[in-house]
Amino acid sequence: MAKNLIFHKKPFDKGTKTKVELFDAYLNESLPVFIHQKYWSDIFIYDLFAGKGLDENGEYGTALNILKGVSRHCVAIVKNKKNLYVVLNDKEEKDSLQQNVNAFLEDCKSRCEAPQCVFDKNNLIVKSNDFKEYFNDTIYPRLQNRPDAMKLIFLDPFNFVMDNEVFNKLTSLPKTDFMCFIPTTYLRRFPTEPTFKKFIEEYGLMFSQTKYNHSHRIIADYIRKLVPPDKEYYIGHFSIEKPQKTGTGKNYYGIIFGSNNTLGAEKFQKVCWKIDPQIGEADYNIDNEPTYGGNQDLFNEIPLKIKAFNDDLKKLIVDAKITTDLECYRYALQKCLQPKHASTVLNKLMETKRIQEFKTVNSDIHKIKNPIKIELL
């Protein structure tokens, strides 16, 4: 893939690489499940701010990583008779993106082992639409009428797009996971900018009362409040540190993730905890803890986030506000932890004879058909 390529002007910085890694890892966790499950035949993947697809060093952005991810499973897609649809959109870079996509496909087809290319059915589309108009008038009504299809939506804008209307539509789509990049620092630094001001006023964000490097955590907490309390929905987040263009300071950005099922939430947390094995939340030491960077054994401490979760879950169980094992695992996902963290709490309560013994699980909680009732002792 060396010819006819158009590169982004600058190489990806560390923060951008983290963002792309998160997108790519989640796609590669989810796509095999979508392909091999028999419950749906159609898969839709949207990258609505796709850019050119490459930086100046040839590193893939989200768009070409989507194509690369699909190429790993071409044989399985054909074998399982899945219909895959990929839409790559960028209002400014459509021509460059199309050229890079064509070069990728030319190279990919020369090495393909599938009986037919999965993109030979006019199911890979490169567009140049304005996001709001395209999402509201075309994508949302189309996907709303496809409750039987799995959907992944990637939003990686240069500016801010996640307003109340977009959020409500994304969270209402059935069988849909989304990941959205949010320029957190700019929300905090320019609160009177019209787009940001509307968001800050709608959500009542109080940045002045929190640490600068906790800014994205604050946004995530407020976004969670938009979900109706009686609705099962999972909001995840991951904070990203980026150096300022000038000076020695830091900017903070982040990813917001949404899914209406535990499978999606569990896979997102799995990816986050691979990048940040301490608390699964940032690519930097967000809470300034001595345990960060593999020093947990040295200091014999557990991170504050996990300690708080352990205490809260124990109290909820003892007070009978959480009454089944599945509720414990879901609570862990809602707190941006993994089911195994809930299992640790349950097993500790069994060891101390606070609850009756039963077998816990560490993953795949979507497979639980009959939750186990927790019996207090």
Side-chain angles (χ1 to χ4, degrees), residues 228-271:
D230 58 343
K231 180 177 182 177
E232 182 183 353
Y233 199 88
Y234 300 91
I235 296 294
H237 67 277
F238 195 86
S239 297
I240 298 170
E241 182 183 77
K242 298 181 71 171
Q244 292 184 9
K245 293 181 180 179
T246 58
T248 59
K250 303 289 185 181
N251 287 326
Y252 295 96
Y253 303 82
I255 300 295
I256 294 294
F257 168 83
S259 180
N260 52 22
N261 62 82
T262 59
L263 177 59
E266 191 171 338
K267 291 192 174 301
F268 180 73
Q269 290 307 320
K270 181 179 178 181
V271 169

Side-chain angles (χ1 to χ4, degrees), residues 242-309:
K242 298 181 71 171
Q244 292 184 9
K245 293 181 180 179
T246 58
T248 59
K250 303 289 185 181
N251 287 326
Y252 295 96
Y253 303 82
I255 300 295
I256 294 294
F257 168 83
S259 180
N260 52 22
N261 62 82
T262 59
L263 177 59
E266 191 171 338
K267 291 192 174 301
F268 180 73
Q269 290 307 320
K270 181 179 178 181
V271 169
C272 291
W273 282 83
K274 280 184 178 179
I275 297 175
D276 176 12
Q278 300 299 314
I279 64 169
E281 191 176 333
D283 67 350
Y284 57 93
N285 188 359
I286 191 170
D287 289 321
N288 299 315
E289 297 191 82
T291 58
Y292 190 81
N295 294 321
Q296 188 166 341
D297 292 337
L298 179 64
F299 289 91
N300 194 29
E301 296 179 10
I302 62 173
L304 295 173
K305 174 180 173 178
I306 296 179
K307 185 179 186 303
F309 169 80

Side-chain angles (χ1 to χ4, degrees), residues 309-326:
F309 169 80
N310 292 347
D311 293 341
D312 291 344
L313 182 55
K314 286 177 185 176
K315 181 170 175 48
L316 288 168
I317 293 171
V318 171
D319 291 347
K321 294 182 178 179
I322 283 182
T323 60
T324 71
D325 63 335
L326 183 56

Side-chain angles (χ1 to χ4, degrees), residues 24 26 48 60 150 166 255 275 302 355 371:
D24 187 38
Y26 185 74
L48 298 178
Y60 286 177
M150 291 304 301
V166 171
I255 300 295
I275 297 175
I302 62 173
I355 63 174

Side-chain angles (χ1 to χ4, degrees), residues 126-340:
V126 180
K127 307 285 285 186
S128 60
N129 293 318
D130 174 77
F131 165 71
K132 280 291 183 71
E133 181 179 331
Y134 187 36
F135 180 76
N136 290 329
D137 298 343
T138 302
I139 295 174
Y140 175 70
R142 180 177 297 165
L143 296 186
Q144 196 177 32
N145 291 325
R146 294 303 309 273
D148 57 328
M150 291 304 301
K151 313 161 194 78
L152 290 177
I153 300 177
F154 294 143
L155 305 171
D156 186 14
F158 290 108
N159 209 316
F160 176 75
V161 299
M162 182 58 79
D163 61 18
N164 210 331
E165 180 186 13
V166 171
F167 178 81
N168 288 334
K169 287 183 176 179
L170 283 170
T171 56
S172 70
L173 288 172
K175 294 186 175 67
T176 301
D177 294 351
F178 76 84
M179 294 178 66
C180 181
F181 173 73
I182 290 185
T184 309
T185 288
Y186 292 114
L187 277 171
R188 182 164 187 158
R189 190 178 295 166
F190 305 111
T192 60
E193 196 275 333
T195 305
F196 296 169
K197 183 180 179 183
K198 182 174 183 291
F199 179 84
I200 291 170
E201 289 177 350
E202 281 182 357
Y203 295 170
L205 294 178
M206 300 293 289
F207 284 128
S208 61
Q209 299 178 11
T210 188
K211 296 179 181 178
Y212 198 73
N213 66 340
H214 287 182
S215 297
H216 189 64
R217 186 184 276 176
I218 295 299
I219 288 177
D221 286 342
Y222 275 96
I223 286 178
R224 286 188 185 91
K225 293 177 182 178
L226 299 179
V227 180
D230 58 343
K231 180 177 182 177
E232 182 183 353
Y233 199 88
Y234 300 91
I235 296 294
H237 67 277
F238 195 86
S239 297
I240 298 170
E241 182 183 77
K242 298 181 71 171
Q244 292 184 9
K245 293 181 180 179
T246 58
T248 59
K250 303 289 185 181
N251 287 326
Y252 295 96
Y253 303 82
I255 300 295
I256 294 294
F257 168 83
S259 180
N260 52 22
N261 62 82
T262 59
L263 177 59
E266 191 171 338
K267 291 192 174 301
F268 180 73
Q269 290 307 320
K270 181 179 178 181
V271 169
C272 291
W273 282 83
K274 280 184 178 179
I275 297 175
D276 176 12
Q278 300 299 314
I279 64 169
E281 191 176 333
D283 67 350
Y284 57 93
N285 188 359
I286 191 170
D287 289 321
N288 299 315
E289 297 191 82
T291 58
Y292 190 81
N295 294 321
Q296 188 166 341
D297 292 337
L298 179 64
F299 289 91
N300 194 29
E301 296 179 10
I302 62 173
L304 295 173
K305 174 180 173 178
I306 296 179
K307 185 179 186 303
F309 169 80
N310 292 347
D311 293 341
D312 291 344
L313 182 55
K314 286 177 185 176
K315 181 170 175 48
L316 288 168
I317 293 171
V318 171
D319 291 347
K321 294 182 178 179
I322 283 182
T323 60
T324 71
D325 63 335
L326 183 56
E327 289 176 358
C328 292
Y329 306 137
R330 287 174 173 170
Y331 182 72
L333 293 175
Q334 289 164 352
K335 296 298 182 180
C336 295
L337 284 93
Q338 299 181 91
K340 68 179 182 180

